[in-house]
Amino acid sequence: MRWSRHPGERSLWLAFLIIFVMGVASSPLVTAGCPDRCECDDKLVVQCVGKQMTFFPSDFPLATRQLVISNNRIAELPALQLNFLSDLVFLDCSNNTLSEISESTFGNLRKLAYLDLSYNTLAKINDRTFGPLGSLVMLRITDNPELSQIHPGAFVENTALQLLDISRNNLTSLNITSLIVLPVLRTIALSGNPWQCDCDNEDLCLWIQIEAFKFQEGSESMCQGPPGVAGRQLAEVGMKLRMECHQSLGYWDYLFLTAVGFLIFSAGTVSAWVMGVLMLLYERYTKSKDTMQEGEEEGEGGGGGIANGNGHLSKPDV
Ligand SMILES: *[C@@H]1O[C@H](CO)[C@@H](O)[C@H](O)[C@H]1NC(C)=O
Ligand SMILES: *[C@@H]1O[C@H](CO)[C@@H](O)[C@H](O)[C@H]1NC(C)=O
Ligand SMILES: *[C@@H]1O[C@H](CO)[C@@H](O)[C@H](O)[C@H]1NC(C)=O
């Protein structure tokens, strides 16, 4: 063939070919239609609620802002299709059969502010699952009966997060490392999980106690175990765990107490000594004053009194 002999022309053809193939491959994703069985309105809201869909829909309006695919049986969120929706602000995937979410799932959704993954079958949330979602304000992951693990770094990059709802899952513990760095987190819901209030959860319990205002329904977050604290609120057992889980620091506590005791003792001793010295000085001072006065009185007799009288009498004359 002719073009194979000219490398420059050949790469141009190759580029055309690649663009053509990409165009064909992505056309069902970018056409400005409306997905099958869904309703699209002109405000760029796509609703596909309760349509017994088993696959993520395709053929979206280009600039879809809101997508609701709740009450279906969708098992997977395909990263490629989802990330074409780069203007997405609101995504409700609740009540499906999603069992896995990864970092690439939401790779390009930089405007996403609301995400609902409730009523699915997620088992764990990995490190940085929501990493790229820098605008995420509300995240709901409730009622995932198998969800028992949330990685300490799961939310670490979601610095806009204000509300996190992880109620009614299968969580026994939660490492607060990634939560305490979220600067604007205002509300967190934890109730309905089988929390184990042992030393692994000491930080969580203490945090709930200290930051009580962040926990709307703090009184509903109960310990399911161990037996000694079962049925009590997470917030109630924080201080108790703090004391129980740090018995190995007893040595330092004793040292501290000894140091404090010694300080109090020596302060008492010093102040008693200072007081004694002051009293002694005062006594001596008053004594010497008395003897001086006595001497004066003995030397001048009643003259001083008369002089004083004159001084006082002279005042009104001025
Ligand atoms: C989940 O969706 C199904 C239909 O697929 C519906 O019957 C059920 O009530 C929904 N559950 C919740 C909690 O919304
Ligand atoms: C919840 O987690 C426990 C282990 O912590 C496990 O034994 C149980 O099967 C889990 N429940 C569900 C519904 O997966
Ligand atoms: C929580 O996670 C951090 C970071 O991964 C780790 O250093 C820390 O030991 C964990 N805390 C608990 C109680 O597991």
Side-chain angles (χ1 to χ4, degrees), residues 197-214:
C197 298
D198 51 21
C199 293
D200 282 348
N201 264 339
E202 176 206 335
D203 288 347
L204 177 67
C205 295
L206 260 181
W207 192 53
I208 295 176
Q209 191 162 8
I210 293 163
E211 306 253 3
F213 67 95
K214 283 183 180 163

Side-chain angles (χ1 to χ4, degrees), residues 212-273:
F213 67 95
K214 283 183 180 163
F215 299 89
Q216 281 178 330
E217 29 73 295
S219 57
E220 291 164 36
S221 302
M222 303 286 192
C223 308
Q224 197 176 80
V229 291
R232 293 181 64 183
Q233 295 170 18
L234 262 67
E236 281 178 348
V237 299
M239 287 319 264
K240 180 178 173 333
L241 288 178
R242 179 88 199 152
M243 288 195 286
E244 281 176 10
C245 302
H246 289 275
Q247 278 175 354
S248 59
L249 296 180
Y251 171 73
W252 290 104
D253 291 342
Y254 283 127
L255 206 66
F256 179 69
L257 284 177
T258 310
V260 167
F262 179 73
L263 271 177
I264 291 172
F265 169 76
S266 44
T269 309
V270 168
S271 61
W273 183 79

Side-chain angles (χ1 to χ4, degrees), residues 151-153 173-178 199-204:
H151 192 280
S173 67
L174 178 68
N175 187 326
I176 61 166
T177 304
S178 64
C199 293
D200 282 348
N201 264 339
E202 176 206 335
D203 288 347
L204 177 67

Side-chain angles (χ1 to χ4, degrees), residues 2 19 28 34 47 62 67 74 96 108 114 158 205 226 297:
R2 196 180 64 86
I19 288 168
C34 185
Q47 300 256 8
L62 272 172
L67 174 59
I74 296 167
N96 278 290
N108 195 30
Y114 180 94
N158 309 115
C205 295
E297 275 166 27

Side-chain angles (χ1 to χ4, degrees), residues 29 35 171 174 176 186 190 197 209 232 282 291 298 314:
L29 307 173
L171 296 165
L174 178 68
I176 61 166
R186 285 200 307 222
L190 304 169
C197 298
Q209 191 162 8
R232 293 181 64 183
Y282 179 70
T291 46
E298 271 167 23
S314 67

Side-chain angles (χ1 to χ4, degrees), residues 56-317:
F56 188 77
S58 54
D59 201 12
F60 285 100
L62 272 172
T64 301
R65 294 276 168 78
Q66 277 194 36
L67 174 59
V68 185
I69 53 168
S70 55
N71 300 6
N72 287 295
R73 275 174 282 140
I74 296 167
E76 203 189 338
L77 293 177
L80 180 66
Q81 276 155 282
L82 193 59
N83 285 311
F84 257 98
L85 305 173
S86 56
D87 282 331
L88 211 57
V89 173
F90 182 103
L91 178 59
D92 182 353
C93 307
S94 63
N95 197 11
N96 278 290
T97 54
L98 299 171
S99 57
E100 217 183 315
I101 303 284
S102 74
E103 192 180 352
S104 60
T105 306
F106 303 111
N108 195 30
L109 304 183
R110 296 183 192 282
K111 297 180 186 169
L112 197 68
Y114 180 94
L115 177 61
D116 195 341
L117 296 168
S118 302
Y119 295 94
N120 277 289
T121 50
L122 299 169
K124 58 179 184 174
I125 305 293
N126 295 319
D127 195 11
R128 287 161 214 272
T129 293
F130 309 102
L133 305 182
S135 308
L136 196 64
V137 174
M138 276 192 182
L139 177 59
R140 292 190 193 279
I141 318 175
T142 75
D143 303 277
N144 280 255
E146 288 159 40
L147 181 57
S148 57
Q149 280 180 47
I150 293 182
H151 192 280
F155 314 113
V156 79
E157 285 173 43
N158 309 115
T159 50
L161 201 61
Q162 291 185 19
L163 181 144
L164 176 66
D165 191 351
I166 46 172
S167 311
R168 298 178 300 278
N169 294 307
N170 195 18
L171 296 165
T172 53
S173 67
L174 178 68
N175 187 326
I176 61 166
T177 304
S178 64
L179 298 182
I180 52 180
V181 299
L182 296 176
V184 291
L185 188 66
R186 285 200 307 222
T187 305
I188 174 163
L190 304 169
S191 64
N193 282 289
W195 297 113
Q196 291 297 309
C197 298
D198 51 21
C199 293
D200 282 348
N201 264 339
E202 176 206 335
D203 288 347
L204 177 67
C205 295
L206 260 181
W207 192 53
I208 295 176
Q209 191 162 8
I210 293 163
E211 306 253 3
F213 67 95
K214 283 183 180 163
F215 299 89
Q216 281 178 330
E217 29 73 295
S219 57
E220 291 164 36
S221 302
M222 303 286 192
C223 308
Q224 197 176 80
V229 291
R232 293 181 64 183
Q233 295 170 18
L234 262 67
E236 281 178 348
V237 299
M239 287 319 264
K240 180 178 173 333
L241 288 178
R242 179 88 199 152
M243 288 195 286
E244 281 176 10
C245 302
H246 289 275
Q247 278 175 354
S248 59
L249 296 180
Y251 171 73
W252 290 104
D253 291 342
Y254 283 127
L255 206 66
F256 179 69
L257 284 177
T258 310
V260 167
F262 179 73
L263 271 177
I264 291 172
F265 169 76
S266 44
T269 309
V270 168
S271 61
W273 183 79
V274 169
M275 284 293 281
V277 168
L278 282 177
M279 277 172 70
L280 208 69
L281 286 176
Y282 179 70
E283 227 166 80
R284 277 195 190 168
Y285 170 72
T286 47
K287 244 186 208 163
S288 64
K289 209 172 141 188
D290 284 352
T291 46
M292 265 168 67
Q293 271 180 0
E294 272 166 32
E296 273 173 24
E297 275 166 27
E298 271 167 23
E300 293 177 19
I306 294 159
N308 272 348
N310 285 345
H312 279 297
L313 283 171
S314 67
K315 253 188 184 170
D317 302 340

